Amino acid sequence: MSVSSLKGGVGKTSVTMGLASAALQQGVRTLVVDLDPHADSTTGLAVKRGSGTEAGALLRDAKRATLSEHVVRSGWVDLLPEEQQSTAKLDVIVGSALSATFDRPDIRPRDMRRLRTLLERVSGYDLVLVDCPPSLAGLTRIGWAASNGVLLVAEPSLFSVAGTERTMRAIRMFSNEYAPQLKSAGVVVNRARADSTEHEYRLLEMERLYKDKLMLPVLEENPFWQQIQGAAYPVHHWPGDQVRDLAKSFDQLLKQLL
């Protein structure tokens, strides 16, 4: 499942991490592939700097590399009760700026298949989440070509709604030409505010535009979210009740995806 948006700053990586947290909580064996050169998912999943072979190097050596030899366990697993740590599985293919060498607008079709080639030789996971950069250049196309679906992340704002429309058209075109298995899994609305008239209007607009593609519940803006990410912590293990509803929302979204 590729997590995508053609507009930056909508919380695409936040949604990836929230779903990974829900998967860890529910015992869903998960691999997160960090294709974003900023490597925010890698940092947020508490992977130690310098661990593992980064995604760009693996893509470069896709025909020979064995992905399972290069995954790194998320530090989140260590937060589980000791009896659960041996069976829990949340692994990461780490990101770095080196991946940007593949982020070209004129990427060749054979290069688009590199991640798919790597993932075809991997077993033991129930879910693979690919965190794509916020563009339609090479790395996003590599992620889409390896995925069965794309989860689009949007904010309830004019520019984000327009960007989501463009992304849906791009997915249809890409699927027809390069990846017949690919479909749009749904649209997750992030950072919604109940007290905003503009957000309410845009949510109604999204319901009209996307219909059954709009996934519920909507993720409401939470003042603790940045603090959670800064601590590289799973939302389901954050102390206190301030984020309990947010964690439950990710549980429901994960259930729909699976």
Side-chain angles (χ1 to χ4, degrees), residues 102-178:
F102 287 95
D103 210 24
R104 306 184 305 270
D106 59 343
I107 189 169
R108 299 170 296 183
R110 70 179 185 183
D111 288 332
M112 279 190 266
R113 293 190 289 269
R114 288 177 179 267
L115 180 58
R116 183 173 182 174
T117 298
L118 286 164
L119 289 175
E120 283 175 343
R121 301 195 296 268
V122 169
S123 61
Y125 296 102
D126 306 306
L127 175 67
V128 177
L129 295 171
V130 184
D131 187 13
C132 300
S135 70
L136 192 52
L139 286 172
T140 294
R141 297 181 190 188
I142 286 172
W144 288 3
S147 299
N148 299 109
V150 178
L151 184 65
L152 302 178
V153 181
E155 285 182 331
S157 67
L158 172 62
F159 299 137
S160 185
V161 172
T164 302
E165 277 285 283
R166 292 195 303 272
T167 311
M168 282 188 159
R169 289 197 297 270
I171 291 169
R172 288 194 293 268
M173 293 173 62
F174 187 84
S175 175
N176 290 336
E177 192 165 357
Y178 299 109

Side-chain angles (χ1 to χ4, degrees), residues 35-226:
L35 282 189
D36 194 327
H38 291 108
D40 291 337
S41 283
T42 300
T43 302
L45 288 161
V47 173
K48 294 180 180 178
R49 187 177 297 275
S51 300
T53 304
E54 64 90 33
L58 292 173
L59 291 173
R60 190 169 57 237
D61 198 28
K63 288 186 177 180
R64 293 185 295 272
T66 302
L67 205 64
S68 58
E69 296 177 355
H70 300 279
V71 299
V72 181
R73 191 176 78 159
S74 168
W76 290 2
V77 176
D78 297 331
L79 300 173
L80 295 174
E82 191 170 341
E83 64 272 13
Q84 296 180 20
Q85 292 182 19
S86 59
T87 56
K89 198 167 188 179
L90 177 56
D91 294 335
V92 184
I93 293 297
V94 300
S96 83
L98 293 175
S99 301
T101 58
F102 287 95
D103 210 24
R104 306 184 305 270
D106 59 343
I107 189 169
R108 299 170 296 183
R110 70 179 185 183
D111 288 332
M112 279 190 266
R113 293 190 289 269
R114 288 177 179 267
L115 180 58
R116 183 173 182 174
T117 298
L118 286 164
L119 289 175
E120 283 175 343
R121 301 195 296 268
V122 169
S123 61
Y125 296 102
D126 306 306
L127 175 67
V128 177
L129 295 171
V130 184
D131 187 13
C132 300
S135 70
L136 192 52
L139 286 172
T140 294
R141 297 181 190 188
I142 286 172
W144 288 3
S147 299
N148 299 109
V150 178
L151 184 65
L152 302 178
V153 181
E155 285 182 331
S157 67
L158 172 62
F159 299 137
S160 185
V161 172
T164 302
E165 277 285 283
R166 292 195 303 272
T167 311
M168 282 188 159
R169 289 197 297 270
I171 291 169
R172 288 194 293 268
M173 293 173 62
F174 187 84
S175 175
N176 290 336
E177 192 165 357
Y178 299 109
Q181 87 288 348
L182 184 68
K183 62 183 183 299
S184 172
V187 179
V188 171
V189 181
N190 191 32
R191 294 176 179 166
R193 296 198 310 272
D195 60 349
S196 170
T197 303
E198 171 67 9
H199 281 200
E200 183 180 359
Y201 176 81
R202 294 302 170 191
L203 284 171
L204 291 172
E205 184 179 28
M206 288 177 170
E207 289 178 6
R208 177 177 56 82
L209 287 172
Y210 310 139
K211 298 177 182 176
D212 60 328
K213 294 289 186 182
L214 186 64
M215 298 182 68
L216 298 175
V218 169
L219 297 173
E220 295 187 2
E221 189 169 35
N222 190 295
F224 290 90
W225 196 221
Q226 286 190 341

